[in-house]
Amino acid sequence: MADNYVRLSDTISSKEGKAYITINGQNRELFEISSLTAQLELQVQSRQMLGHRMVQHKVVGAEGTGSMTMYFMNSDMLRLAIQYIKEGKYGGLKLQIKNEDAQSTIGKQEIVLLGVLLNTIPVAALDDQSDDPITVDTDFTFDDIEGLSFFDLPANYR
């Protein structure tokens, strides 16, 4: 069992992968993304039951949250926000994220986040003190998740 250790080549580089966005039924690469994280937060109920001295726990729900940084170079989200302000309709977003590093033996993981709502919509930005690209940070929520593919065990653990 000397081969059973984590190999650096099997870790996934955060620069490898892609993200796609669906807005009003139209798919495109989320080219303006700089960073993205998404997670599920389990809602856990705690209760001590009769006849048992330990507190027991039960998962009773989940919440999808995340954050991302985007380069300020696309108006799609602003159009959605203005449509909501003017007409009261918000179409929402779907994000598809693929983590895949060709050096790794674990393959890829690809998920779809449904009902994505951004907390912050970029509108305008100016700064005479910066030569850096304009970026916008936002948190988001999502209402559902689909798993299209999942990582395998590293080759030396199979």
Side-chain angles (χ1 to χ4, degrees), residues 16-89:
E16 299 292 336
K18 292 224 181 246
Y20 303 89
I21 189 168
T22 303
I23 300 175
N24 296 326
Q26 294 188 349
N27 299 315
R28 69 166 175 84
E29 187 173 337
L30 190 60
F31 57 79
E32 66 271 27
I33 197 76
S34 173
S35 67
L36 183 144
T37 59
Q39 57 274 337
L40 290 171
E41 297 176 18
L42 298 180
Q43 297 170 343
V44 178
Q45 180 184 48
S46 301
R47 179 151 306 160
Q48 186 176 351
M49 304 302 286
L50 288 174
H52 193 75
R53 291 187 179 93
M54 293 290 296
V55 173
Q56 298 179 34
H57 301 88
K58 177 181 180 179
V59 176
V60 295
E63 182 178 18
T65 63
S67 62
M68 65 178 155
T69 300
M70 299 177 290
Y71 293 107
F72 186 64
M73 58 185 291
N74 187 286
S75 299
D76 288 346
M77 283 65 143
L78 180 57
R79 285 187 191 102
L80 279 177
I82 290 172
Q83 179 183 6
Y84 170 73
I85 291 167
K86 301 292 184 193
E87 302 171 18
K89 295 187 288 184

